[in-house]
Amino acid sequence: MDEIRTDQPSLYDEDVVAWAEQQAAALRALAARPELSNVLDWENIVEEVEDVGRSEIRSLEGTLQVMLVHVLKYLSCPRAQSVRSWRAEIVAFHATARRRYTRSMRQRVDWDALWHDAKAEAAAELAVWGDSLALGLPDRNPFTPEELVAEDFTLDWALLRLAAALQNPRDHH
């Protein structure tokens, strides 16, 4: 009998989104087998496994959106009373995003929609206090996924990137 090795990380530990997709495909293959087709509720089991991956993606998107909202508010109102808390929250949300991000998420997140939503939320939050979002922000996300979760990502770096995007909107994707 083969011995199960537990000293190596599984795909589940490394990339739960890729694991969920792999498991869902395997379950679909099992469901197609006539001798097993009525044994389990395959459709709902597959859906539940896929939801594991989708939940991880939604969690990452929510974390990154809040982080970007704070970056945008800081850029737009650097003298606001809340800037210190925004800076601290950016550090905290960035750390969480770094832990959650896996390579398989890159193509499953709509990065421009995330940016658009962050701009809309930041604008709404600023409007409550009579402030407005900085003008000339790019329509598309000026940060790559890898930049957003890079170990050396900082608010100051993000502000410099956005300042460059404001000055040269055509230079950014």
Side-chain angles (χ1 to χ4, degrees), residues 138-156:
D139 292 332
R140 301 196 63 200
N141 194 332
F143 305 107
T144 68
E146 290 74 20
E147 289 171 339
L148 289 173
V149 297
E151 191 172 338
D152 59 352
F153 178 93
T154 64
L155 170 62
D156 295 327

Side-chain angles (χ1 to χ4, degrees), residues 63-150:
T63 301
L64 287 173
Q65 182 170 325
V66 173
M67 183 181 87
L68 287 170
V69 165
H70 289 322
V71 168
L72 289 164
K73 290 190 303 187
Y74 196 105
L75 172 74
S76 300
C77 296
R79 290 182 183 78
Q81 187 174 357
S82 301
V83 292
R84 280 191 236 144
S85 66
W86 294 339
R87 184 176 284 275
E89 289 177 12
I90 289 166
V91 170
F93 284 111
H94 175 258
T96 300
R98 277 183 35 92
R99 285 191 308 276
R100 289 184 176 155
Y101 180 77
T102 60
R103 284 187 317 268
S104 68
M105 291 179 179
R106 188 184 213 290
Q107 64 270 16
R108 289 163 183 84
V109 172
D110 185 337
W111 299 98
D112 290 333
L114 179 70
W115 175 249
H116 178 268
D117 293 348
K119 287 192 323 182
E121 185 177 338
E125 289 182 19
L126 289 169
V128 168
W129 301 103
D131 293 316
S132 59
L133 200 56
L135 297 176
L137 289 166
D139 292 332
R140 301 196 63 200
N141 194 332
F143 305 107
T144 68
E146 290 74 20
E147 289 171 339
L148 289 173
V149 297

Side-chain angles (χ1 to χ4, degrees), residues 16-17 51-60 100 105:
V16 73
V17 174
D51 277 348
V52 170
R54 284 192 290 267
S55 176
E56 289 294 315
I57 292 168
R58 284 190 301 271
S59 179
L60 174 74
R100 289 184 176 155
M105 291 179 179

